[in-house]
Amino acid sequence: MSDLLRILENEVQIAALSFMAVVYIFRLIWLFRFVSKRERTYAAGSEKAGILYSMMNVAMPWAMESTRKRPGFYAQFVIFHIGIGAAISATFIIPYWPGLFEIKAVVLLFQLVIAAALITGLIRLYRRIINRSVRLISTMDDYFSLMMMIFFFAAGVLAVPNRYEKSEWPLIVFFSLTAILLVYVPFSKICHYLYYPFTRYFLGKTSG
């Protein structure tokens, strides 16, 4: 393994993760400055039940009209986010638990999951470009974030076998993209997951 790849897999990733964590801490400090006040209109029903229902909404496609009528959208959502989880896991497995990717079945499973997310990302990008309504409400960040994820998935499929003795370039590209994403994510739409528990808590508490 070259020094470049070793540094990318370790020091660079740790620095990028630390940067992202610091930005998130500042975001949370800013968020908690706003004190929630009791609504003038009281929730209909149990607040606790409403909060739980709201939090679990993401796992209940039948509860949302958009996914109930178009289950394909929900399938895309699930595949895309499972792929993200697999790709992110690979960034830790490759440098710190490489033995796992010596198992061919595990490598194949990761590649299939990440490849499915890649295809889903391409479908989403195509829809964002072709569909006039979606195109009108799309920003540059929407396109850039999605394209970055597509490249990240593509690099992940090639990097997962972790065969640096044959060629390091798939791994160098993969970990370079990982570092760029870690720095970019806190300032992009991708950071929406940070606000999910807070928005869902508020909606569940006030709507009941």
Side-chain angles (χ1 to χ4, degrees), residues 5-126:
L5 180 57
R6 181 185 58 77
I7 293 171
L8 276 174
E9 287 187 0
N10 295 280
E11 287 85 349
V12 172
Q13 300 306 309
I14 292 171
L17 277 168
S18 300
F19 176 82
M20 185 178 73
V22 169
V23 176
Y24 276 168
I25 288 170
F26 277 108
R27 279 181 174 269
L28 289 174
I29 291 172
W30 173 81
L31 187 65
F32 282 112
R33 287 177 60 228
F34 300 93
V35 180
S36 176
K37 296 181 180 179
R38 179 166 290 279
E39 292 291 307
R40 292 182 180 180
T41 304
Y42 291 98
S46 167
E47 282 189 358
K48 291 182 179 179
I51 292 168
L52 179 62
Y53 182 87
S54 183
M55 288 285 191
M56 295 302 295
N57 186 260
V58 69
M60 299 185 296
W62 59 87
M64 297 178 284
E65 184 180 6
S66 58
T67 52
R68 189 166 59 246
K69 290 184 175 179
R70 295 183 175 181
F73 282 170
Y74 186 76
Q76 287 182 25
F77 165 82
V78 172
I79 293 170
F80 193 79
H81 286 81
I82 290 176
I84 291 173
I88 292 174
S89 297
T91 66
F92 291 97
I93 294 171
I94 289 172
Y96 305 119
W97 192 12
L100 185 62
F101 283 155
E102 292 177 4
I103 305 172
K104 291 183 178 180
V106 174
V107 171
L108 182 60
L109 176 62
F110 269 75
Q111 285 182 313
L112 287 173
V113 171
I114 298 172
L118 168 62
I119 294 170
T120 302
L122 290 170
I123 293 171
R124 287 184 163 195
L125 180 61
Y126 176 79

Side-chain angles (χ1 to χ4, degrees), residues 80 84 114 117-129 138-156 173-174 177-178 180-181 184-185 188-190:
F80 193 79
I84 291 173
I114 298 172
L118 168 62
I119 294 170
T120 302
L122 290 170
I123 293 171
R124 287 184 163 195
L125 180 61
Y126 176 79
R127 178 175 176 269
R128 191 171 289 279
I129 294 172
S138 296
T139 65
M140 288 300 296
D141 179 50
D142 290 316
Y143 292 107
F144 186 75
S145 296
L146 186 51
M147 290 176 69
M148 281 293 293
M149 293 308 303
I150 289 170
F151 287 130
F152 181 56
F153 290 142
V173 172
F174 181 56
L177 284 172
T178 303
I180 293 170
L181 274 171
Y184 177 67
V185 161
S188 73
K189 67 172 292 181
I190 303 174

